């Protein structure tokens, strides 16, 4: 008998060729079956495809979903065909029990309406607000030191934003509009004097709007404790737990911090907030469950080195 290339056991060597053919067919069928069991999970988001690839929230959501999915699962992100007001997004989510995710600032009412994933997406940084003002008007704000001083000016905010109620509760005068785009047009048209934006928004948005006549006011930061969460429908606990599991994994392996500190939304603002005067405001609408004292979720804001 010729020498074999492989040292097969005697019973294998005696098997007819038809046996091996059947084994190969069975192996192929099993492989095809495993491949057929790949599960595609569609997840709708409030973001639009136009925001890609730099959108902070969609990218972070995908990271969390990828970190919590099984090996045979594929996540399909379905973008919205258009943008809506915050009130419309919330209403849509309340009536949609499918895999649908929005991101918005938390408050007591929203946490009653929706299922929050209570992991702050900006580590508490979202409560620090710089003021967008028109170019050439810095001198008007140089003497502002308190909320009472700022109340002599008119601010602009979204009609359905939680910030609006917070600022009004602290005695600040506001005019409102449905969308961010409307507010940018209004401040350029001198309909109000300043537009508070988060540290993760102010400088980043001006970089995106090279034709704007706005600047970031040089001296002030408003502060009230708050942040943005991912939210899902109250009855979609499975999706909430999946996102929560993924976010916890990203925190554990350091990928959330790496993403957070290097994204231009955050880095563009953190580099510019030193030595600013903070006007501290109360937030009577903050849910008691907000993890403001948990260093796992809330960054050490003393690192901002503000006055």
């Amino acid at each position: 008998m010729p020498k074999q290339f492989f040292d097969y056991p005697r019973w294998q060597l005696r098997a007819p060729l038809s046996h091996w053919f059947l084994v190969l067919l069975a192996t192929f069928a099993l492989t095809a079956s495993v491949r057929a069991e790949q599960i595609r999970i569609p997840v709708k988001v409030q973001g639009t495809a136009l925001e890609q690839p730099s959108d902070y929230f969609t990218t972070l959501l995908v990271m969390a979903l990828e970190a919590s999915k099984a090996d045979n699962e594929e996540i399909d992100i379905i973008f919205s065909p258009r943008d809506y007001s915050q009130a419309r997004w919330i209403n849509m989510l309340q009536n949609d029990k499918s895999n649908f995710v929005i991101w918005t600032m938390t408050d007591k009412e929203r946490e009653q309406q929706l299922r929050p994933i209570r992991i702050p997406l900006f580590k508490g940084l979202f409560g620090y607000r710089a003021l967008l003002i028109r170019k050439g008007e810095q001198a008007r704000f140089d003497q502002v030191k308190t909320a009472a001083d700022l109340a002599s000016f008119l601010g602009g905010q979204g009609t359905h934003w939680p910030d609006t109620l917070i600022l009004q509760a602290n005695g600040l005068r506001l005019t409102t509009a449905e969308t961010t785009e409307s507010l940018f047009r209004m401040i350029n048209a001198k309909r109000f004097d300043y537009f508070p934006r988060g540290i993760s928004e102010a400088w980043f948005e001006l970089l995106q709007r090279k034709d704007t006549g706005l600047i970031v006011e040089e001296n002030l930061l408003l502060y009230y404790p708050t942040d943005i969460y991912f939210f899902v429908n109250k009855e979609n606990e499975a999706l909430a737990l999946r996102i929560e599991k993924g976010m916890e994994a990203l925190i554990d392996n350091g990928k959330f911090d790496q993403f957070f500190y290097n994204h231009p939304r955050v880095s563009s603002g953190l580099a510019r907030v030193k030595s600013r005067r903070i006007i501290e405001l109360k937030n009577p609408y903050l849910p008691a469950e907000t993890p403001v004292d948990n260093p796992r979720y809330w960054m050490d804001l003393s690192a901002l080195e503000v006055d």
Side-chain angles (χ1 to χ4, degrees):
M1 183 176 180
K3 184 177 180 181
Q4 300 295 321
F5 286 103
F6 301 100
D7 189 19
Y8 290 119
R10 185 177 298 276
W11 68 270
Q12 288 181 308
L13 294 175
R14 290 178 178 174
L17 287 176
S18 60
H19 168 82
W20 297 113
F21 181 70
L22 291 173
V23 170
L24 287 173
L25 281 179
T27 302
F28 177 80
L30 179 61
T31 302
S33 175
V34 170
R35 288 176 179 169
E37 291 175 3
Q38 284 290 114
I39 300 171
R40 306 197 74 88
I41 301 175
V43 179
K44 296 184 292 186
V45 298
Q46 77 176 56
T48 65
L50 293 176
E51 295 172 312
Q52 294 300 302
S54 62
D55 180 70
Y56 181 94
F57 303 102
T58 305
T59 304
L60 185 55
L61 177 63
V62 170
M63 289 171 60
L65 292 171
E66 289 290 326
S68 60
K69 73 179 182 65
D71 290 340
N72 67 330
E73 292 178 331
E74 292 291 334
I75 306 296
D76 292 328
I77 296 296
I78 302 173
F79 295 102
S80 171
R82 55 165 293 187
D83 199 7
Y84 297 100
S85 68
Q86 285 193 24
R88 179 73 183 276
W89 284 120
I90 291 168
N91 181 261
M92 290 166 64
L93 184 54
Q94 283 183 283
N95 294 285
D96 191 337
K97 299 177 184 179
S98 68
N99 290 336
F100 181 20
V101 184
I102 71 170
W103 40 86
T104 190
M105 184 174 143
T106 190
D107 70 3
K108 293 177 181 178
E109 183 178 11
R110 290 179 178 185
E111 292 199 18
Q112 292 172 354
Q113 296 169 328
L114 308 170
R115 169 48 162 103
I117 291 84
R118 291 191 182 93
I119 299 177
L121 303 185
F122 285 110
K123 298 167 73 71
L125 192 65
F126 200 68
Y128 282 87
R129 303 267 149 171
L131 309 183
L132 298 186
I133 63 174
R134 288 180 291 274
K135 289 179 179 178
E137 297 191 5
Q138 175 61 47
R140 298 182 63 202
F141 292 84
D142 284 344
Q143 302 305 312
V144 173
K145 301 190 185 325
T146 66
D149 295 336
L150 190 60
S152 64
F153 296 86
L154 184 64
Q157 284 286 279
T159 305
H160 303 287
W161 297 357
D163 313 84
T164 303
L165 294 176
I166 295 169
L167 296 174
Q168 289 174 333
N170 285 271
L172 299 180
R173 298 187 305 120
L174 300 175
T175 188
T176 63
E178 286 289 328
T179 67
T180 303
E181 290 301 318
S182 296
L183 289 161
F184 271 103
R185 289 194 294 270
M186 289 168 67
I187 189 172
N188 276 304
K190 299 186 177 182
R191 299 273 300 280
F192 56 86
D193 302 305
Y194 69 93
F195 185 12
R197 303 300 285 156
I199 289 175
S200 58
E201 297 171 318
W203 288 271
F204 182 78
E205 289 175 344
L206 291 189
L207 287 172
Q208 309 303 305
R209 299 168 179 274
K210 299 185 186 300
D211 60 342
T212 185
L214 305 178
I215 60 170
V216 180
E217 193 279 334
E218 297 174 357
N219 303 314
L220 303 172
L221 283 177
L222 306 182
Y223 174 70
Y224 40 90
T226 191
D227 214 293
I228 289 180
Y229 294 153
F230 289 129
F231 286 87
V232 300
N233 184 280
K234 285 182 76 75
E235 296 188 28
N236 198 339
E237 187 66 12
L239 180 59
L241 293 176
R242 181 186 288 264
I243 296 170
E244 188 174 82
K245 178 182 177 182
M247 288 294 295
E248 294 287 2
L250 295 177
I251 293 171
D252 286 338
N253 62 28
K255 290 183 179 179
F256 176 55
D257 272 3
Q258 183 180 18
F259 173 78
F260 174 78
Y261 287 108
N262 288 286
H263 195 281
R265 271 191 179 272
V266 177
S267 60
S268 63
L270 280 179
R272 294 175 169 90
V273 297
K274 295 181 179 180
S275 301
R276 285 175 171 264
R277 181 182 301 114
I278 293 181
I279 297 177
E280 195 160 341
L281 306 177
K282 296 178 181 179
N283 181 359
Y285 306 100
L286 187 72
E289 298 85 353
T290 310
V292 293
D293 296 320
N294 189 338
R296 178 173 175 80
Y297 302 129
W298 215 263
M299 71 179 289
D300 180 7
L301 298 176
S302 65
L304 295 180
E305 298 183 25
V306 290
D307 291 341

